[in-house]
Amino acid sequence: MTEREITIRPGKSRVLTAIKSSLPSAAEASLVSGSALLTVLSFPDFDLWFLAWISVAPLLIVVARANKSRRGFFAGWLWGTIFFYGTCWWLTYPMIHYAHIRAWLAYPLLLLPILLVALFPALCCALASRLIARFGTIALILVPFLWVSFEWLRYIVTGQLWNAIGYSQAFHPMMIQSAAWGGIYSVTLLILGSNAAIALLVIRRRFLLPVVFIVVVAAALIAATGVLSLSSQKRPFINRDTAIVVVGIQPNVPMDLTGDDAQMNVLLERHLALTRTALQELQTRSRSDNLPRLVIWPESPMNFSYSRDPHLRQVVGDFARTNHTSILLNSLEPASGGGDQNSALMINEEGAIAARYDKIRLMPFGEYVPLPRWLPGASSVRGIVGEFTPGSSYTLMPLGALRAGVFICIEAAHPGIARSFTNQGADVLINISNDGYLGPTPVMRQHLANAVFRALENNRDLVRVTNTGITAFISSSGQTFDVTPGFQTAVRSWTISKNGDGTTFYTRHGDVFVYVCVLISLGFVSASFMKRRSV
């Protein structure tokens, strides 16, 4: 054996030992995996929402017992990988059905972005492990603030807050009322508070502090609901002075369009036929009472282009004038500086354009390519995907005595969009969307969960109209009504009105709550790096 071999082998051994000591043991990995799977079950379409209040506790126990930040990091990374893959596996649907990538390749490919997103819970757990090592297991009470901080950081870095843990409670209004003052982040904090209390109870085996912590979480939930003031399935009060009848059309336009003119005409007629039927039913039931009427057509793959298509302008204009109704539709519109914009157009009863909103937050790799132009291959990707021009103005739509904030598709997942519309003076929120390209998967109810929070955060009723589902009315208290089935034609009609001028703390002040969580986290993390003074 040479001298060089003798010096290298111990070095390799130290590296392997360091890696091994950083990884969770088999038992710890099992706990972490079980924790992630239970959290997955709390989300649609499993809907075991109550599991979220206990499911993260096993992860926190592993993190608390880790003697190194690296072990906490890898535990959090494993948890994040399983959780995000388990709740977002539907991203493989367009890869398989439209890009024609084999399933055996699509599923492993999805793992790459999942591993990147999983870094956020990984870093959270690494810092949590450090805080616990520095201050003791009592530092578990700081984990909810850390978790919220990293969910916010995930949104800042990736532009997406999809499936933040708070969204698991979306269809249970009693559990999410705190969103009116802290947004989705406040619900996440309460859920993590419950999990931290359970972990603290298991580790310390002392009941007083965990029980106090759980009581605080329960008290916050009760206080946020207005001392249990919500009643099940209670529709909003209708103010007849500001009321308007809204008709939502779910046309179920297929995703595999050929672009043939005959096919487009058939689908346009489907929109018109469904609308005629809905208006006739309203007249038969005398539900409209001569109130202003609005018909909403959703975002769809048809790519209506109102400004460029004289036939479409003629048909829609004639329909609006004949039926004395306004029509809100999605349209591919030219941008003032060149290019195209994904827009929502309001056509009034005279058949003229009353307002136009251009989508501000675009879908990455769907409506634009988030790659620098100098990167090799970026131009080729743009050629396949296309590139829309984002809008910049929160234009309100006139609805009789009301004003509506209309946002398009994935903008429902951006809390700032609905909040900005409300601050501009929106009395009601409208979301038009097309989730059809993601198939009959959990994304449909996950997307609806985002819309539920936007209504509650801003104390505004929200009308959601989609191409293939889910179409629904969401009250300002977060309750859903008249939910449509997926991938079927459907029509819904509602009478909506102005339900007061009040705005929530969240609408007025935005993410102040999460900033407080970040400051608390930064303070304690900074303190963990300070040396203890010797007496």
Side-chain angles (χ1 to χ4, degrees), residues 190-460:
L190 293 174
I191 292 173
L192 264 294
S194 171
N195 282 276
I198 294 170
L200 197 59
L201 178 62
V202 171
I203 293 171
R204 300 190 68 168
R205 301 186 186 277
R206 296 176 184 173
F207 286 87
L208 181 59
L209 185 59
V211 168
V212 169
F213 203 19
I214 290 174
V215 169
V216 169
V217 171
L221 282 171
I222 293 172
T225 57
V227 194
L228 306 180
S229 61
L230 279 178
S231 60
S232 177
Q233 297 298 301
K234 183 179 179 181
R235 287 182 179 271
F237 171 77
I238 300 300
N239 181 347
R240 305 299 296 184
D241 294 333
T242 60
I244 181 173
V245 175
V246 175
V247 177
I249 304 299
Q250 182 175 300
N252 193 28
V253 174
M255 299 298 106
D256 53 347
L257 298 179
T258 62
D260 178 74
D261 287 344
Q263 184 187 44
M264 294 298 106
N265 289 332
V266 168
L267 292 173
L268 175 58
E269 180 54 37
R270 180 187 297 180
H271 284 73
L272 296 170
L274 288 169
T275 305
R276 287 192 201 98
T277 301
L279 294 177
Q280 287 169 2
E281 289 181 357
L282 283 175
Q283 188 172 1
T284 301
R285 298 174 187 175
S286 300
R287 288 180 55 188
S288 58
D289 296 329
N290 296 319
L291 296 175
R293 297 184 298 188
L294 170 68
V295 172
I296 303 177
W297 292 354
E299 183 188 40
S300 86
M302 286 185 67
N303 280 339
F304 287 134
S305 188
Y306 192 85
S307 297
R308 298 185 179 100
D309 187 344
H311 173 68
L312 179 66
R313 288 199 304 274
Q314 185 67 43
V315 170
V316 172
D318 288 346
F319 190 93
R321 286 186 288 268
T322 301
N323 294 277
H324 306 289
T325 183
S326 298
I327 299 176
L328 175 67
L329 74 156
N330 179 232
S331 180
L332 183 68
E333 293 295 300
S336 58
D340 294 316
Q341 291 182 304
N342 187 355
S343 305
L345 297 183
M346 174 72 75
I347 311 303
N348 62 21
E349 296 180 7
E350 287 74 39
I353 298 177
R356 165 179 163 179
Y357 166 70
D358 303 314
K359 189 176 181 182
I360 294 173
R361 297 300 295 260
L362 303 177
M363 170 72 80
F365 295 106
E367 294 172 317
Y368 81 104
V369 180
L371 298 173
R373 295 187 175 274
W374 51 263
L375 193 69
S379 59
S380 300
V381 177
R382 284 186 177 83
I384 297 172
V385 173
E387 192 160 20
F388 286 78
T389 302
S392 58
S393 300
Y394 293 92
T395 306
L396 298 178
M397 305 283 183
L399 302 182
L402 304 177
R403 290 185 294 175
V406 179
F407 47 96
I408 303 171
C409 196
I410 196 65
E411 288 186 314
H414 295 275
I417 296 290
R419 176 175 169 263
S420 295
F421 272 121
T422 307
N423 279 322
Q424 290 288 330
D427 302 304
V428 64
L429 300 172
I430 298 174
N431 177 218
I432 56 175
S433 185
N434 173 35
D435 295 337
Y437 60 95
L438 292 167
T441 65
V443 69
M444 300 173 72
R445 296 192 73 239
Q446 290 176 9
H447 203 172
L448 178 63
N450 282 267
V452 168
F453 270 84
R454 304 299 83 86
L456 179 55
E457 287 166 351
N458 298 285
N459 190 33
R460 292 293 183 270

